[in-house]
Amino acid sequence: DTGVSQNPRHKITKRGQNVTFRCDPISEHNRLYWYRQTLGQGPEFLTYFQNEAQLEKSRLLSDRFSAERPKGSFSTLEIQRTEQGDSAMYLCASSLKSGNTIYFGEGSWLTVV
Amino acid sequence: EDQVTQSPEALRLQEGESSSLNCSYTVSGLRGLFWYRQDPGKGPEFLFTLYSAGEEKEKERLKATLTKKESFLHITAPKPEDSATYLCAVQARGAGNTPLVFGKGTRLSVIA
């Protein structure tokens, strides 16, 4: 299966620590998205890339969050100085530039204690 | 601001009992309306995209329809394996690629 791959799937960290999540999109998909989802809510948009360019960032993406896609392939989402409110599932998704269907990965669960 | 409201929040059906889930939306020009299925602890799984009022799409026991203000996901003779949260999302028209705006979902439980 060559779907969207995310790791780690689960991360427990102490408040104040930094965490990094990785996303490998479907090959040939040049658009990559990050969303965040908390219990009982739908996914909320964080940011998206077209190739290596970060084209849009949500106001939800505070200064402690940074995302990169250095060679237009995989992407990383780093959260610095984590807070308990950062506990959520972080979803990565990808799509073709010419297509509308956005495919999601299995998500990375973050618990900040 | 683009908004999506799904109802009911939760739905419990007996196996074989058909029903419909509702997705009401307001968007500044619709590019597409999406339905996803999400199992507990997993990412959303794509089901359908609808682009214009009157469009319908089907997949197994699911049928999605679209009007100018809402979409319905009809489930015919559901089975326990259809139990999941069903998410609706809209994408607005824009100069670039606008992000999906999701509703909170409908949690469906199908009891054998």
Side-chain angles (χ1 to χ4, degrees), chain A residues 4-15:
Chain A
V4 179
S5 176
Q6 294 188 243
N7 62 78
R9 292 292 320 281
H10 299 89
K11 179 74 176 178
I12 300 174
T13 191
K14 291 183 179 179
R15 190 175 54 185

PDB file of all heavy atoms in Angstrom, chain A residues 4-15:
ATOM      1  N   VAL A   4      -0.607   7.615   2.336  1.00  0.00           N
ATOM      2  CA  VAL A   4       0.111   8.602   3.128  1.00  0.00           C
ATOM      3  C   VAL A   4       0.606   7.928   4.413  1.00  0.00           C
ATOM      4  O   VAL A   4      -0.169   7.281   5.116  1.00  0.00           O
ATOM      5  CB  VAL A   4      -0.806   9.790   3.467  1.00  0.00           C
ATOM      6  CG1 VAL A   4      -0.051  10.805   4.329  1.00  0.00           C
ATOM      7  CG2 VAL A   4      -1.334  10.445   2.190  1.00  0.00           C
ATOM      8  N   SER A   5       1.883   8.106   4.690  1.00  0.00           N
ATOM      9  CA  SER A   5       2.491   7.452   5.843  1.00  0.00           C
ATOM     10  C   SER A   5       2.908   8.492   6.876  1.00  0.00           C
ATOM     11  O   SER A   5       3.541   9.501   6.531  1.00  0.00           O
ATOM     12  CB  SER A   5       3.705   6.649   5.379  1.00  0.00           C
ATOM     13  OG  SER A   5       4.382   6.080   6.480  1.00  0.00           O
ATOM     14  N   GLN A   6       2.556   8.247   8.135  1.00  0.00           N
ATOM     15  CA  GLN A   6       2.932   9.187   9.196  1.00  0.00           C
ATOM     16  C   GLN A   6       3.628   8.438  10.322  1.00  0.00           C
ATOM     17  O   GLN A   6       3.255   7.311  10.661  1.00  0.00           O
ATOM     18  CB  GLN A   6       1.689   9.883   9.774  1.00  0.00           C
ATOM     19  CG  GLN A   6       1.000  10.789   8.797  1.00  0.00           C
ATOM     20  CD  GLN A   6      -0.095  11.590   9.463  1.00  0.00           C
ATOM     21  OE1 GLN A   6      -1.267  11.457   9.137  1.00  0.00           O
ATOM     22  NE2 GLN A   6       0.305  12.449  10.419  1.00  0.00           N
ATOM     23  N   ASN A   7       4.629   9.082  10.913  1.00  0.00           N
ATOM     24  CA  ASN A   7       5.247   8.508  12.108  1.00  0.00           C
ATOM     25  C   ASN A   7       5.897   9.599  12.957  1.00  0.00           C
ATOM     26  O   ASN A   7       6.226  10.670  12.438  1.00  0.00           O
ATOM     27  CB  ASN A   7       6.253   7.421  11.721  1.00  0.00           C
ATOM     28  CG  ASN A   7       7.388   7.946  10.890  1.00  0.00           C
ATOM     29  OD1 ASN A   7       8.320   8.555  11.404  1.00  0.00           O
ATOM     30  ND2 ASN A   7       7.303   7.738   9.592  1.00  0.00           N
ATOM     31  N   PRO A   8       5.986   9.356  14.284  1.00  0.00           N
ATOM     32  CA  PRO A   8       5.437   8.166  14.936  1.00  0.00           C
ATOM     33  C   PRO A   8       3.918   8.206  14.998  1.00  0.00           C
ATOM     34  O   PRO A   8       3.319   9.260  14.829  1.00  0.00           O
ATOM     35  CB  PRO A   8       6.042   8.280  16.349  1.00  0.00           C
ATOM     36  CG  PRO A   8       6.175   9.741  16.578  1.00  0.00           C
ATOM     37  CD  PRO A   8       6.555  10.322  15.229  1.00  0.00           C
ATOM     38  N   ARG A   9       3.302   7.082  15.237  1.00  0.00           N
ATOM     39  CA  ARG A   9       1.851   7.051  15.361  1.00  0.00           C
ATOM     40  C   ARG A   9       1.397   7.604  16.696  1.00  0.00           C
ATOM     41  O   ARG A   9       0.323   8.178  16.802  1.00  0.00           O
ATOM     42  CB  ARG A   9       1.322   5.628  15.197  1.00  0.00           C
ATOM     43  CG  ARG A   9       1.476   5.046  13.794  1.00  0.00           C
ATOM     44  CD  ARG A   9       0.581   5.751  12.752  1.00  0.00           C
ATOM     45  NE  ARG A   9      -0.745   6.090  13.243  1.00  0.00           N
ATOM     46  CZ  ARG A   9      -1.752   5.234  13.346  1.00  0.00           C
ATOM     47  NH1 ARG A   9      -1.609   3.987  13.011  1.00  0.00           N
ATOM     48  NH2 ARG A   9      -2.936   5.643  13.786  1.00  0.00           N
ATOM     49  N   HIS A  10       2.195   7.413  17.695  1.00  0.00           N
ATOM     50  CA  HIS A  10       1.865   7.904  19.033  1.00  0.00           C
ATOM     51  C   HIS A  10       3.107   8.510  19.663  1.00  0.00           C
ATOM     52  O   HIS A  10       4.202   7.969  19.520  1.00  0.00           O
ATOM     53  CB  HIS A  10       1.352   6.777  19.936  1.00  0.00           C
ATOM     54  CG  HIS A  10       0.112   6.136  19.437  1.00  0.00           C
ATOM     55  ND1 HIS A  10       0.113   5.072  18.580  1.00  0.00           N
ATOM     56  CD2 HIS A  10      -1.187   6.433  19.663  1.00  0.00           C
ATOM     57  CE1 HIS A  10      -1.134   4.735  18.309  1.00  0.00           C
ATOM     58  NE2 HIS A  10      -1.937   5.538  18.951  1.00  0.00           N
ATOM     59  N   LYS A  11       2.894   9.619  20.385  1.00  0.00           N
ATOM     60  CA  LYS A  11       3.998  10.272  21.084  1.00  0.00           C
ATOM     61  C   LYS A  11       3.460  10.842  22.387  1.00  0.00           C
ATOM     62  O   LYS A  11       2.472  11.580  22.388  1.00  0.00           O
ATOM     63  CB  LYS A  11       4.573  11.390  20.213  1.00  0.00           C
ATOM     64  CG  LYS A  11       5.722  12.157  20.846  1.00  0.00           C
ATOM     65  CD  LYS A  11       6.977  11.354  20.859  1.00  0.00           C
ATOM     66  CE  LYS A  11       8.137  12.187  21.400  1.00  0.00           C
ATOM     67  NZ  LYS A  11       9.391  11.386  21.463  1.00  0.00           N
ATOM     68  N   ILE A  12       4.114  10.472  23.480  1.00  0.00           N
ATOM     69  CA  ILE A  12       3.800  11.074  24.781  1.00  0.00           C
ATOM     70  C   ILE A  12       5.008  11.892  25.182  1.00  0.00           C
ATOM     71  O   ILE A  12       6.139  11.396  25.167  1.00  0.00           O
ATOM     72  CB  ILE A  12       3.501   9.997  25.843  1.00  0.00           C
ATOM     73  CG1 ILE A  12       2.302   9.156  25.418  1.00  0.00           C
ATOM     74  CG2 ILE A  12       3.244  10.651  27.197  1.00  0.00           C
ATOM     75  CD1 ILE A  12       2.018   7.979  26.324  1.00  0.00           C
ATOM     76  N   THR A  13       4.795  13.145  25.523  1.00  0.00           N
ATOM     77  CA  THR A  13       5.908  14.013  25.861  1.00  0.00           C
ATOM     78  C   THR A  13       5.568  14.880  27.060  1.00  0.00           C
ATOM     79  O   THR A  13       4.387  15.108  27.353  1.00  0.00           O
ATOM     80  CB  THR A  13       6.282  14.904  24.660  1.00  0.00           C
ATOM     81  OG1 THR A  13       7.528  15.557  24.915  1.00  0.00           O
ATOM     82  CG2 THR A  13       5.229  15.975  24.403  1.00  0.00           C
ATOM     83  N   LYS A  14       6.597  15.333  27.730  1.00  0.00           N
ATOM     84  CA  LYS A  14       6.379  16.226  28.865  1.00  0.00           C
ATOM     85  C   LYS A  14       6.213  17.655  28.366  1.00  0.00           C
ATOM     86  O   LYS A  14       6.838  18.066  27.369  1.00  0.00           O
ATOM     87  CB  LYS A  14       7.546  16.143  29.841  1.00  0.00           C
ATOM     88  CG  LYS A  14       7.638  14.820  30.564  1.00  0.00           C
ATOM     89  CD  LYS A  14       8.774  14.833  31.573  1.00  0.00           C
ATOM     90  CE  LYS A  14       8.851  13.518  32.320  1.00  0.00           C
ATOM     91  NZ  LYS A  14       9.968  13.494  33.295  1.00  0.00           N
ATOM     92  N   ARG A  15       5.418  18.402  29.069  1.00  0.00           N
ATOM     93  CA  ARG A  15       5.209  19.806  28.736  1.00  0.00           C
ATOM     94  C   ARG A  15       6.551  20.531  28.658  1.00  0.00           C
ATOM     95  O   ARG A  15       7.423  20.351  29.507  1.00  0.00           O
ATOM     96  CB  ARG A  15       4.328  20.451  29.807  1.00  0.00           C
ATOM     97  CG  ARG A  15       3.829  21.829  29.467  1.00  0.00           C
ATOM     98  CD  ARG A  15       2.876  22.322  30.515  1.00  0.00           C
ATOM     99  NE  ARG A  15       3.456  22.261  31.858  1.00  0.00           N
ATOM    100  CZ  ARG A  15       2.807  22.552  32.972  1.00  0.00           C
ATOM    101  NH1 ARG A  15       1.537  22.886  32.909  1.00  0.00           N
ATOM    102  NH2 ARG A  15       3.391  22.497  34.132  1.00  0.00           N
TER     103      ARG A  15
END
